[in-house]
Amino acid sequence: MKFYLLLINLILCSFLLNAQNIQRNSNNENSKNKGLVIIGLTNNREVEKQFEEKISPSGDYLNIEISNNVLKPLDENILGNIESKLFSEEDLNLLLNNNKLGQQILSFWFARRADGTFDIKSIQEKKHIDIHEVVSLLQQTDKKRVGADDISGFDVVNKSYIILVDFKDIQSMDEYYDQNDIEDEYRILEGFISGFNYYLMKLDFNNFVASHFLNNYLITEETKQNLNKKQEFVTVDFPFVLIKAKSDQVASTLHTDPENESSELDPELSRRLLGQLVNLAVNKALLNIEREDHFYKYNRIQSTKPVAASMGMNEELKFDSRYSVFTNQINELGKVEKEKIGVVKSVKVVDNRPGREGVGDLSEFYQIGGKKITSSGMYLERKKDLGINIGFDRSFYGPVNTSARIEYYFSKLFDGTIQPGKRAQGLSSFKIYLEAGFNNGTYKIDDQNRDFEFLRGVIGLSKDFYPVRFMHWSPFVGYGFESATYSGSDNIISTNYVEAGLRLGVNITHNLQVIGTFKNDFLINTVLLDGEREVISENFNYVRTFANRKGVSLGLGFRIML
């Protein structure tokens, strides 16, 4: 029971340590590396008018402009009565494809003209996509097919998002008070209140879709041969993925004027409050959506010795953060799937915020697990790691114990203290560990054989080194205590010690390792206490009583990285 109580305390301590690392800096400058369309769905015409005014997303996103003169604009009545249920992914795909949202988004990224051709010069001026290499391949006489990997900036197009906001049951505050039988003295607000559903959709511009678009629809001049391609582009359906669907509530109100006996809002004030209702709902949806995994920053790997990518403080990259390495694969059904290749940790963070010297420089990483990483189509994606490891060990030579260990990478706290653009691998993967162990055995004391229970706890420092991607070694040093209690007595034998040693880990997966441990315990002093914790002896001979509870030990176990 003592062991389990100690283990619970260790876990609580670890989360208290980690809490220092989860505070977000709200002043970070974010790059516009995603495109966003915001669409309002409602049968309330007054609210629809608010969406007719341009709603710009926050500064983190490129506002994808829908070109009404090129393709059919959104049909507000496509779903009929939309004031009750959450729609399915199939319903929303139908809505977006009936209104040609895929075509309109690609027309934005690839500068489609009203005549159906694409303006290559304009694409280059936007500087989101490097289109020259694509055009060169398309114009080759051997008609080599163009793939998504041929585009620099493909990842930007594949981060095209749509937020659909569906207001339902919009009420004035008077209607809300009447419906809920609110007494007159509490009717202190005027304005509007509404429930709303919101959906986060993503244009699935995967490798297969991108290659089909580049080879069949990206036309740069009007010819008879291209006429069919132009017509097919307008009619084809593009795939959209539903990432999140949720219901919420929002209110746009102000306090009533006691001197105003009229129960109706001034028309201009009513219009402003409805506009505020729209913006509050969009901002609330954006705030929740930005917590989704899809909005975590990621970027393509550009070199492998060391692993490097064009990202930095502008993408909220932190020192000693874990990133997953992915590549996209097409399965037997033709669907693109992400394949996880490995995990890396950041050791060099460049300051690539606008106006800083690090713009264009590469941040660097080192690999801590997985397969071989290449710069051919692989990309980094932020991993939501806690910076915590949990280990379990059993020693089989020397002082035998069954142990549980929690490790926290406090080196993550060095972020901000290292000069931007400087490599600091020597400061990476430092951790503090807390360990609890127990064992029992029979030993002779006072000329009698007694059954003893041993409980120990350790706090220490360690650092992981990765000579190869599937293995790490970790020297450590710690300070600990061990107490021994025995049957037939309330006395406690307590000793302090220093431990030092080495752990060697071999990866089973990127976050699970087999751990071998070699360590040596150096006893400091031992006391014998009675049941009231009063000292009976200050120099109890721990070594003579417990011959195998000191010195070198060997152990084997495993570690989980969270």
Side-chain angles (χ1 to χ4, degrees):
M1 179 60 72
K2 293 179 180 178
F3 169 72
Y4 293 112
L5 290 174
L6 182 56
L7 182 57
I8 290 171
N9 286 329
L10 292 181
I11 294 173
L12 291 174
C13 288
S14 71
F15 279 99
L16 288 174
L17 287 169
N18 194 54
Q20 303 176 56
N21 195 52
I22 62 176
Q23 297 177 0
R24 295 178 61 85
N25 184 353
S26 60
N27 296 321
N28 283 339
E29 299 177 67
N30 298 309
S31 63
K32 295 183 178 182
N33 64 346
K34 308 176 190 69
L36 192 63
V37 178
I38 300 176
I39 298 171
L41 304 175
T42 176
N43 284 332
N44 186 309
R45 184 57 189 155
E46 292 303 313
V47 173
E48 287 175 9
K49 289 179 181 178
Q50 308 303 321
F51 275 97
E52 290 175 0
E53 299 177 5
K54 184 177 178 181
I55 300 177
S56 298
S58 71
D60 300 352
Y61 312 98
L62 281 162
N63 189 32
I64 294 180
E65 299 170 5
I66 302 302
S67 304
N68 294 340
N69 63 326
V70 176
L71 294 166
K72 179 183 175 184
L74 183 68
D75 180 355
E76 65 199 36
N77 298 315
I78 190 69
L79 288 179
N81 185 356
I82 50 176
E83 295 196 354
S84 55
K85 64 177 182 178
L86 284 169
F87 290 107
S88 68
E89 185 174 48
E90 183 179 357
D91 291 332
L92 294 168
N93 261 278
L94 177 65
L95 168 68
L96 297 181
N97 276 300
N98 283 349
N99 287 280
K100 309 304 177 187
L101 256 292
Q103 285 88 339
Q104 296 194 63
I105 289 170
L106 294 178
S107 294
F108 168 81
W109 288 117
F110 292 95
R112 188 174 188 264
R113 302 185 183 100
D115 63 6
T117 61
F118 292 85
D119 187 349
I120 302 302
K121 183 179 178 181
S122 178
I123 300 173
Q124 283 302 112
E125 290 174 351
K126 288 184 178 180
K127 297 181 179 179
H128 302 312
I129 305 165
D130 187 353
I131 202 69
H132 282 321
E133 51 198 318
V134 177
V135 174
S136 175
L137 289 171
L138 288 171
Q139 292 175 345
Q140 289 179 15
T141 55
D142 61 359
K143 298 181 180 179
K144 176 182 176 182
R145 292 191 64 80
V146 180
D149 289 338
D150 295 319
I151 310 178
S152 297
F154 161 73
D155 288 340
V156 177
V157 184
N158 200 29
K159 289 184 285 185
S160 300
Y161 295 92
I162 305 100
I163 297 176
L164 299 104
V165 183
D166 169 17
F167 288 89
K168 55 180 182 178
D169 193 23
I170 301 173
Q171 295 178 297
S172 69
M173 290 307 300
D174 285 338
E175 291 171 332
Y176 175 79
Y177 290 144
D178 289 341
Q179 180 179 321
N180 293 279
D181 296 325
I182 305 298
E183 297 180 7
D184 289 345
E185 61 181 301
Y186 298 112
R187 299 187 177 209
I188 59 175
L189 298 174
E190 57 183 355
F192 299 94
I193 186 169
S194 176
F196 68 98
N197 300 328
Y198 64 90
Y199 310 86
L200 175 63
M201 304 286 291
K202 176 180 178 291
L203 173 64
D204 191 8
F205 197 63
N206 56 57
N207 289 62
F208 179 79
V209 174
S211 297
H212 186 72
F213 167 75
L214 295 172
N215 289 285
N216 294 282
Y217 305 134
L218 188 66
I219 56 177
T220 58
E221 58 183 5
E222 279 197 282
T223 65
K224 290 182 179 180
Q225 184 180 5
N226 287 336
L227 181 60
N228 290 335
K229 292 184 177 181
K230 181 169 66 173
Q231 293 173 343
E232 185 182 348
F233 173 70
V234 175
T235 59
V236 73
D237 286 349
F238 285 95
F240 293 89
V241 179
L242 175 61
I243 298 170
K244 188 180 186 73
K246 189 175 179 180
S247 298
D248 212 322
Q249 190 176 61
V250 69
S252 174
T253 60
L254 48 80
H255 283 274
T256 56
D257 183 358
E259 298 180 0
N260 185 3
E261 297 180 359
S262 173
S263 61
E264 293 187 4
L265 285 172
D266 174 79
E268 177 60 24
L269 179 58
S270 176
R271 191 190 71 82
R272 294 208 315 267
L273 288 174
L274 279 172
Q276 187 179 52
L277 188 80
V278 168
N279 287 318
L280 287 171
V282 171
N283 290 335
K284 196 169 188 179
L286 269 172
L287 180 64
N288 289 325
I289 283 168
E290 285 173 348
R291 297 168 182 161
E292 294 294 306
D293 290 348
H294 278 262
F295 279 80
Y296 275 40
K297 306 292 189 284
Y298 66 89
N299 212 322
R300 181 175 295 187
I301 292 173
Q302 299 195 18
S303 67
T304 57
K305 293 184 178 181
V307 175
S310 180
M311 62 190 306
M313 295 175 69
N314 203 36
E315 291 77 25
E316 300 182 12
L317 178 64
K318 306 290 187 182
F319 176 76
D320 211 40
S321 294
R322 279 185 237 170
Y323 273 67
S324 298
V325 181
F326 289 96
T327 188
N328 291 329
Q329 300 288 341
I330 300 178
N331 63 21
E332 296 178 353
L333 300 175
K335 185 175 178 60
V336 175
E337 295 180 338
K338 289 167 56 175
E339 179 186 355
K340 189 166 188 173
I341 301 300
V343 177
V344 296
K345 293 187 80 171
S346 56
V347 290
K348 174 185 173 183
V349 180
V350 299
D351 189 352
N352 63 341
R353 292 174 293 181
R356 307 303 172 96
E357 295 180 358
V359 174
D361 292 344
L362 302 179
S363 294
E364 296 180 1
F365 307 78
Y366 67 97
Q367 190 170 0
I368 64 171
K371 307 173 188 175
K372 183 179 180 180
I373 294 174
T374 71
S375 56
S376 177
M378 294 188 184
Y379 58 92
L380 295 171
E381 189 169 312
R382 181 175 167 185
K383 180 179 175 60
K384 293 192 294 186
D385 66 296
L386 298 175
I388 292 175
N389 302 331
I390 298 178
F392 298 92
D393 299 281
R394 175 69 177 177
S395 51
F396 54 86
Y397 175 83
V400 175
N401 291 287
T402 299
S403 303
R405 182 176 62 261
I406 291 178
E407 305 169 341
Y408 171 69
Y409 287 106
F410 70 88
S411 51
K412 295 166 77 73
L413 304 178
F414 294 157
D415 182 69
T417 65
I418 300 169
Q419 185 177 346
K422 295 296 183 182
R423 186 178 177 87
Q425 188 163 346
L427 296 178
S428 173
S429 294
F430 267 108
K431 57 185 186 284
I432 185 172
Y433 68 90
L434 303 169
E435 186 173 271
F438 73 97
N439 193 41
N440 50 46
T442 301
Y443 296 87
K444 180 175 287 188
I445 187 170
D446 298 332
D447 295 326
Q448 294 185 33
N449 288 329
R450 303 275 188 164
D451 294 327
F452 281 83
E453 291 185 353
F454 300 93
L455 180 66
R456 62 168 51 192
V458 186
I459 182 170
L461 296 175
S462 182
K463 174 175 167 56
D464 291 345
F465 295 88
Y466 287 84
V468 291
R469 64 177 182 269
F470 61 86
M471 180 185 297
H472 77 274
W473 60 277
S474 180
F476 63 91
V477 60
Y479 174 80
F481 72 90
E482 181 170 277
S483 65
T485 58
Y486 52 99
S487 58
S489 174
D490 292 331
N491 292 349
I492 300 173
I493 304 167
S494 179
T495 186
N496 299 331
Y497 64 93
V498 172
E499 68 173 20
L502 181 71
R503 293 188 178 94
L504 180 67
V506 178
N507 289 6
I508 300 174
T509 65
H510 69 276
N511 65 341
L512 177 63
Q513 299 98 30
V514 174
I515 303 291
T517 302
F518 168 86
K519 69 174 181 176
N520 199 355
D521 294 342
F522 303 92
L523 300 184
I524 299 176
N525 69 296
T526 306
V527 295
L528 176 63
L529 307 174
D530 62 19
E532 302 298 324
R533 302 302 189 268
E534 297 292 335
V535 176
I536 299 175
S537 171
E538 294 184 351
N539 297 293
F540 184 86
N541 196 326
Y542 200 83
V543 175
R544 186 178 63 185
T545 306
F546 312 113
N548 62 347
R549 299 300 300 171
K550 72 174 185 68
V552 173
S553 65
L554 300 175
L556 190 65
F558 63 91
R559 181 179 79 168
I560 303 171
M561 303 179 75
L562 303 176

PDB file of all heavy atoms in Angstrom, residues 49 78 109 186 401 436 456 473 537:
ATOM      1  N   LYS A  49     -27.333  38.950 -44.193  1.00  0.00           N
ATOM      2  CA  LYS A  49     -26.749  40.198 -44.684  1.00  0.00           C
ATOM      3  C   LYS A  49     -25.402  40.482 -44.032  1.00  0.00           C
ATOM      4  O   LYS A  49     -24.512  41.076 -44.636  1.00  0.00           O
ATOM      5  CB  LYS A  49     -27.709  41.358 -44.423  1.00  0.00           C
ATOM      6  CG  LYS A  49     -28.954  41.354 -45.296  1.00  0.00           C
ATOM      7  CD  LYS A  49     -29.858  42.529 -44.929  1.00  0.00           C
ATOM      8  CE  LYS A  49     -31.119  42.513 -45.780  1.00  0.00           C
ATOM      9  NZ  LYS A  49     -32.047  43.624 -45.404  1.00  0.00           N
ATOM     10  N   ILE A  78     -29.540  25.861 -50.357  1.00  0.00           N
ATOM     11  CA  ILE A  78     -29.227  24.503 -50.788  1.00  0.00           C
ATOM     12  C   ILE A  78     -29.703  23.461 -49.784  1.00  0.00           C
ATOM     13  O   ILE A  78     -30.098  22.358 -50.154  1.00  0.00           O
ATOM     14  CB  ILE A  78     -27.713  24.350 -51.053  1.00  0.00           C
ATOM     15  CG1 ILE A  78     -27.409  23.018 -51.736  1.00  0.00           C
ATOM     16  CG2 ILE A  78     -26.910  24.469 -49.787  1.00  0.00           C
ATOM     17  CD1 ILE A  78     -27.898  22.919 -53.140  1.00  0.00           C
ATOM     18  N   TRP A 109      -5.928  29.722 -55.171  1.00  0.00           N
ATOM     19  CA  TRP A 109      -4.512  29.358 -55.046  1.00  0.00           C
ATOM     20  C   TRP A 109      -3.796  29.423 -56.397  1.00  0.00           C
ATOM     21  O   TRP A 109      -2.641  29.848 -56.467  1.00  0.00           O
ATOM     22  CB  TRP A 109      -4.379  27.945 -54.475  1.00  0.00           C
ATOM     23  CG  TRP A 109      -4.713  27.805 -53.019  1.00  0.00           C
ATOM     24  CD1 TRP A 109      -5.719  27.064 -52.476  1.00  0.00           C
ATOM     25  CD2 TRP A 109      -4.055  28.415 -51.909  1.00  0.00           C
ATOM     26  NE1 TRP A 109      -5.733  27.171 -51.112  1.00  0.00           N
ATOM     27  CE2 TRP A 109      -4.710  27.992 -50.724  1.00  0.00           C
ATOM     28  CE3 TRP A 109      -2.965  29.282 -51.790  1.00  0.00           C
ATOM     29  CZ2 TRP A 109      -4.320  28.406 -49.462  1.00  0.00           C
ATOM     30  CZ3 TRP A 109      -2.570  29.693 -50.518  1.00  0.00           C
ATOM     31  CH2 TRP A 109      -3.245  29.261 -49.377  1.00  0.00           C
ATOM     32  N   TYR A 186     -35.562  41.188 -13.716  1.00  0.00           N
ATOM     33  CA  TYR A 186     -34.328  40.582 -14.209  1.00  0.00           C
ATOM     34  C   TYR A 186     -34.158  40.766 -15.718  1.00  0.00           C
ATOM     35  O   TYR A 186     -33.191  40.285 -16.303  1.00  0.00           O
ATOM     36  CB  TYR A 186     -34.295  39.099 -13.875  1.00  0.00           C
ATOM     37  CG  TYR A 186     -34.318  38.814 -12.387  1.00  0.00           C
ATOM     38  CD1 TYR A 186     -35.421  38.200 -11.797  1.00  0.00           C
ATOM     39  CD2 TYR A 186     -33.245  39.188 -11.569  1.00  0.00           C
ATOM     40  CE1 TYR A 186     -35.462  37.950 -10.434  1.00  0.00           C
ATOM     41  CE2 TYR A 186     -33.276  38.949 -10.208  1.00  0.00           C
ATOM     42  CZ  TYR A 186     -34.389  38.324  -9.643  1.00  0.00           C
ATOM     43  OH  TYR A 186     -34.421  38.088  -8.299  1.00  0.00           O
ATOM     44  N   ASN A 401      14.763  -4.897  -6.529  1.00  0.00           N
ATOM     45  CA  ASN A 401      13.579  -4.071  -6.317  1.00  0.00           C
ATOM     46  C   ASN A 401      12.685  -4.127  -7.550  1.00  0.00           C
ATOM     47  O   ASN A 401      13.174  -4.326  -8.670  1.00  0.00           O
ATOM     48  CB  ASN A 401      13.962  -2.603  -6.077  1.00  0.00           C
ATOM     49  CG  ASN A 401      14.660  -2.378  -4.751  1.00  0.00           C
ATOM     50  OD1 ASN A 401      14.042  -2.429  -3.697  1.00  0.00           O
ATOM     51  ND2 ASN A 401      15.965  -2.124  -4.814  1.00  0.00           N
ATOM     52  N   ALA A 436      10.171   5.160  -7.315  1.00  0.00           N
ATOM     53  CA  ALA A 436       9.742   4.452  -6.112  1.00  0.00           C
ATOM     54  C   ALA A 436       9.944   2.961  -6.331  1.00  0.00           C
ATOM     55  O   ALA A 436       9.683   2.452  -7.430  1.00  0.00           O
ATOM     56  CB  ALA A 436       8.279   4.746  -5.815  1.00  0.00           C
ATOM     57  N   ARG A 456      11.669   2.264  -1.075  1.00  0.00           N
ATOM     58  CA  ARG A 456      12.677   3.287  -1.372  1.00  0.00           C
ATOM     59  C   ARG A 456      12.117   4.330  -2.335  1.00  0.00           C
ATOM     60  O   ARG A 456      11.195   4.088  -3.102  1.00  0.00           O
ATOM     61  CB  ARG A 456      13.948   2.677  -1.952  1.00  0.00           C
ATOM     62  CG  ARG A 456      13.802   1.945  -3.268  1.00  0.00           C
ATOM     63  CD  ARG A 456      15.173   1.639  -3.897  1.00  0.00           C
ATOM     64  NE  ARG A 456      16.101   0.990  -2.997  1.00  0.00           N
ATOM     65  CZ  ARG A 456      17.393   0.835  -3.247  1.00  0.00           C
ATOM     66  NH1 ARG A 456      17.907   1.264  -4.409  1.00  0.00           N
ATOM     67  NH2 ARG A 456      18.181   0.255  -2.386  1.00  0.00           N
ATOM     68  N   TRP A 473      21.369   6.141 -24.663  1.00  0.00           N
ATOM     69  CA  TRP A 473      21.958   5.825 -23.364  1.00  0.00           C
ATOM     70  C   TRP A 473      21.832   7.058 -22.487  1.00  0.00           C
ATOM     71  O   TRP A 473      21.817   8.190 -22.973  1.00  0.00           O
ATOM     72  CB  TRP A 473      23.390   5.338 -23.471  1.00  0.00           C
ATOM     73  CG  TRP A 473      24.371   6.291 -24.088  1.00  0.00           C
ATOM     74  CD1 TRP A 473      24.603   6.505 -25.407  1.00  0.00           C
ATOM     75  CD2 TRP A 473      25.284   7.133 -23.389  1.00  0.00           C
ATOM     76  NE1 TRP A 473      25.592   7.437 -25.587  1.00  0.00           N
ATOM     77  CE2 TRP A 473      26.029   7.836 -24.359  1.00  0.00           C
ATOM     78  CE3 TRP A 473      25.548   7.373 -22.043  1.00  0.00           C
ATOM     79  CZ2 TRP A 473      27.011   8.770 -24.027  1.00  0.00           C
ATOM     80  CZ3 TRP A 473      26.526   8.299 -21.706  1.00  0.00           C
ATOM     81  CH2 TRP A 473      27.256   8.977 -22.698  1.00  0.00           C
ATOM     82  N   SER A 537      19.143   4.097  17.536  1.00  0.00           N
ATOM     83  CA  SER A 537      20.581   4.001  17.232  1.00  0.00           C
ATOM     84  C   SER A 537      20.873   4.869  16.014  1.00  0.00           C
ATOM     85  O   SER A 537      20.173   4.795  15.009  1.00  0.00           O
ATOM     86  CB  SER A 537      20.980   2.553  16.938  1.00  0.00           C
ATOM     87  OG  SER A 537      22.307   2.494  16.436  1.00  0.00           O
TER      88      SER A 537
END
